[in-house]
Amino acid sequence: MILNQDGRLLVELGGLEFFSSRLYSKEAQYVLDADAITGWLDGPGIRRDATPRLAVDGDFYEPAYKSGRLISVTGTAVAKDSAQLQGMRDEFIGLMSDGSYQWMAVTTENVRRYSLVGLEGKPSWVLLSSNVASFKVDLYAPDPRIYGELQTVNISQAGNSGNLTFQLTYPLNYNRSANDVIQSVTNNGNTRAYPKFRVTGGFNEGFTVTDNVNGRVTYAGIVTMQAPVEIDMATATATQNGVDKSTLLTVRDWFWVKPGETMTPTFIPTKDGNGWCDIIVRDTWI
């Protein structure tokens, strides 16, 4: 187990906190086992289709994809009396009982990482005494990636000259306006980080976002202050006020931030407009 600077591992889920050692300043607490949160530090599994070759040895080479994560959190609940233990049982068993997914945060050695998880199977709660019980909850993370803190940078656009002529040479040059604010994003993880671009303002004929190398995505719809557009590189979609607008994407050269690298993306309105683009990215691990 890897501990934080206070000698403790901290898991936060659904408003509850689970510690790797008992805090004597707190009466009611969830104390993690020594082998708690199995499946968190492990890598995800791999899935692929196996198609046999006819009349020859072996199978066809098929693409491999990472499967979701199964994570188990186990430990002991300690209370001052049986009534308090019953309350702890109720809040523990009630975790994500509506079938929702929530962010689980794990802090180790001053590093805080996140995974979006939901219940897998049924939570376990076993009474050991009047004020002590053992617990276990199995969690499923459909996305096998583990994320760092949200990083948001802003590219502003004020009075762009518009009518851009897209160049076909690399690195791409989109005749950037002098009013642009150049920003960079970095991925300190060990696998690809997929940024989101949230465009807000008045752009009547859409916009283009690019990694300034060989990736670009163009949206041909209307953007207003009340209806921002979000381009998600992970899901290859465009949404506006929660509605899928991917049919308005005319160029789909999706891109990402490689592990350990920095990207300086560009945001260019197709014609005159005022507004800004928020770039949202997280360090990403597998």
Side-chain angles (χ1 to χ4, degrees):
M1 178 182 293
I2 303 175
L3 305 181
N4 64 19
Q5 64 175 356
D6 299 322
R8 299 187 186 94
L9 172 76
L10 171 63
V11 176
E12 298 166 273
L13 176 64
L16 302 184
E17 293 183 337
F18 304 83
F19 293 92
S20 61
S21 60
R22 187 173 179 184
L23 303 176
Y24 290 97
S25 60
K26 294 183 66 174
E27 292 180 340
Q29 55 195 287
Y30 300 91
V31 184
L32 295 168
D33 288 341
D35 58 349
I37 63 168
T38 57
W40 176 259
L41 295 177
D42 302 332
I46 298 295
R47 57 180 174 81
R48 59 166 59 86
D49 294 327
T51 305
R53 293 178 178 271
L54 297 178
V56 295
D57 297 330
D59 297 332
F60 287 100
Y61 287 94
E62 301 286 356
Y65 301 96
K66 299 175 182 66
S67 58
R69 286 181 180 272
L70 291 175
I71 303 167
S72 293
V73 178
T74 58
T76 304
V78 181
K80 65 177 181 180
D81 54 37
S82 59
Q84 189 177 61
L85 187 66
Q86 180 65 43
M88 294 176 69
R89 177 267 174 203
D90 293 343
E91 63 182 2
F92 176 82
I93 297 298
L95 277 173
M96 298 173 290
S97 59
D98 59 354
S100 64
Y101 288 87
Q102 297 185 24
W103 286 102
M104 179 176 74
V106 179
T107 304
T108 59
E109 295 197 15
N110 271 344
V111 177
R112 189 180 176 90
R113 298 181 180 181
Y114 302 84
S115 181
L116 192 62
V117 300
L119 283 181
E120 177 75 9
K122 67 176 184 177
S124 171
W125 186 271
V126 179
L127 286 176
L128 302 179
S129 70
S130 62
N131 67 324
V132 178
S134 65
F135 64 81
K136 178 182 179 183
V137 60
D138 294 320
L139 305 167
Y140 172 60
D143 183 350
R145 303 172 188 87
I146 293 174
Y147 297 99
E149 301 286 354
L150 276 176
Q151 307 170 51
T152 303
V153 299
N154 175 272
I155 300 177
S156 64
Q157 270 280 351
N160 188 357
S161 59
N163 297 314
L164 299 173
T165 301
F166 296 117
Q167 307 300 313
L168 298 180
T169 57
Y170 295 95
L172 296 174
N173 179 357
Y174 290 101
N175 299 331
R176 294 173 58 89
S177 165
N179 294 317
D180 286 0
V181 175
I182 299 174
Q183 296 280 13
S184 297
V185 292
T186 301
N187 174 19
N188 295 305
N190 66 354
T191 192
R192 295 174 177 176
Y194 294 90
K196 295 180 181 179
F197 294 80
R198 183 181 297 130
V199 178
T200 306
F203 304 108
N204 292 329
E205 297 194 25
F207 58 87
T208 291
V209 293
T210 170
D211 64 356
N212 270 322
V213 183
N214 55 10
R216 64 187 176 113
V217 176
T218 298
Y219 181 80
I222 298 173
V223 183
T224 67
M225 194 67 70
Q226 295 75 29
V229 172
E230 184 169 281
I231 305 296
D232 190 337
M233 297 293 165
T235 58
T237 58
T239 57
Q240 188 170 33
N241 281 354
V243 178
D244 192 327
K245 296 285 188 175
S246 301
T247 56
L248 296 176
L249 294 170
T250 57
V251 178
R252 305 181 185 219
D253 296 329
W254 305 101
F255 53 90
W256 50 83
V257 189
K258 295 179 181 179
E261 294 195 0
T262 297
M263 175 195 296
T264 305
T266 306
F267 157 62
I268 306 103
T270 304
K271 286 192 175 181
D272 291 350
N274 289 279
W276 65 92
C277 174
D278 291 313
I279 308 167
I280 305 163
V281 68
R282 293 176 182 261
D283 293 335
T284 306
W285 292 269
I286 202 70

